[in-house]
Amino acid sequence: MSIRIKKTESNNTIQNVDDETLDDVLEKIGGFGFYQKWIFVLMCYPYILSGFFQLNPVFILGVPKHRCAIPGYDNDTYKVQGDEHQHLIDLVIPPSTDPEAVYDECKMFQHKNGSETLLWLNETNGGAKVPCNSWVYDQTVFKTTFVSKVDLICDKKILHANAEMVFYGGMLFGSILGGLLADRYNKRR
């Protein structure tokens, strides 16, 4: 229940204004004009930016499709460059057990001579699998990401999760600290 004191020349009277709504108040102060619209836009701006900040990890920490790089083949790319390239990939990279990947993303067949020349590729595959030292990434969705720059895949996959945790922890800490600083700064004025 709202109560308003209305002063008159002879005496003060109390008037009940239960039937008055926000629309009535806005009407009395001039409606939803330019100033109110400007304040509304300024109030929405931080929330729009917050959406962009929340989506940053999707792009920065995106994990593109990848496979082991062919040792000694400096011009290797994720995309197959021709029949010979496809043959080299088939000899070096085992098929994946994951239905979403064509080739194993973290292992390659071990070669016998230990050098990084392509002479060993004449042997048949099927040997022991060893971890990769370098990878090639699919660049159709992302040209580069933080994950592809520092190879946060396979054995380092936990570092990818840690990077996301640090990002969101920083946002949490920054939000709390920013609110406290804004409150303290506002009280001084």
Side-chain angles (χ1 to χ4, degrees), residues 93-131:
I93 313 297
S96 176
T97 56
D98 181 12
E100 292 188 20
V102 178
Y103 295 102
D104 195 324
E105 296 177 334
C106 300
K107 304 259 186 212
M108 59 186 262
F109 290 120
Q110 183 178 19
H111 53 285
K112 292 182 180 178
N113 66 0
S115 67
E116 290 198 4
T117 62
L118 296 178
L119 298 174
W120 60 271
L121 290 175
N122 293 327
E123 303 170 5
T124 59
N125 60 10
K129 295 179 186 178
V130 294

Side-chain angles (χ1 to χ4, degrees), residues 162-178:
N162 289 346
E164 285 184 344
M165 182 181 65
V166 167
F167 178 84
Y168 286 115
M171 286 193 65
L172 174 68
F173 180 73
S175 297
I176 293 169
L177 184 65

Side-chain angles (χ1 to χ4, degrees), residues 5 23 32 49 60 67 73 87 89 131-132 167 184 186:
I5 299 175
D23 291 333
F32 193 69
L49 286 179
I60 296 172
R67 65 167 172 78
Y73 193 74
H87 180 68
I89 293 171
C132 302
F167 178 84
R184 179 174 288 181
N186 251 351

